[in-house]
Amino acid sequence: MNLLQSLFPLGWQHYLLGGLTIGCGAALLFVLTGRIGGMSTVFSSTWSYLVQRPFFQQPRFVESRNWRLVYAAGLIIGALLWWLGFAGGTPEATAVPVWQLVVGGFFVGYGARLGNGCTSGHGICGLGSLQVPSLMAVLTFMATAFLTANVAARWLA
């Protein structure tokens, strides 16, 4: 079996199509509006509707929350359309216990706050615009992910 087939047993074309679609979406958002997408800011700006604490009431969150909600809705609707159209509507399942998903989600959220952005903001938009801080953030995200995956594989095995 050749290397490409061993790395991508279900094919590589859908990964390429997904990457091109995400890249075009991020580029269109920037070219048409001058805005940079990222999901961690969507989270904070959405909380600005409900939480009156100064952090959430910063102008950057309050002034951008409407378009960011539309941005997030587009991601959800796009995933739903893909699931219904290409995945056949078959539900996906995981064997990962709920507590691990919750703990992992907490650490991802904390890391996104600590890194002043998430993997989509830094990895797609930040690297796409050649931002050095985004490169440092992505390298940190990836090193942490590699370390965590290896520690978890040995600890939970």
Side-chain angles (χ1 to χ4, degrees), residues 69-157:
L69 280 177
V70 172
Y71 179 70
L75 291 173
I76 293 167
I77 291 168
L80 177 65
L81 291 175
W82 177 87
W83 182 62
L84 292 173
F86 297 105
T90 306
E92 296 290 328
T94 180
V96 178
V98 173
W99 73 268
Q100 287 180 355
L101 295 173
V102 170
V103 169
F106 172 79
F107 281 119
V108 167
Y110 179 75
R113 265 303 106 220
L114 189 64
N116 199 25
C118 59
T119 52
S120 63
H122 283 300
I124 298 167
C125 300
L127 290 180
S129 59
L130 303 176
Q131 298 292 319
V132 174
S134 289
L135 175 61
M136 296 299 108
V138 169
L139 292 174
T140 302
F141 292 157
M142 296 307 294
T144 303
F146 294 149
L147 178 66
T148 302
N150 281 288
V151 167
R154 280 155 186 59
W155 182 60
L156 298 173

Side-chain angles (χ1 to χ4, degrees), residues 54-65:
F55 175 81
F56 294 107
Q57 294 305 313
Q58 294 177 59
R60 68 185 179 124
F61 295 142
V62 174
E63 294 168 3
S64 69
R65 62 188 177 190

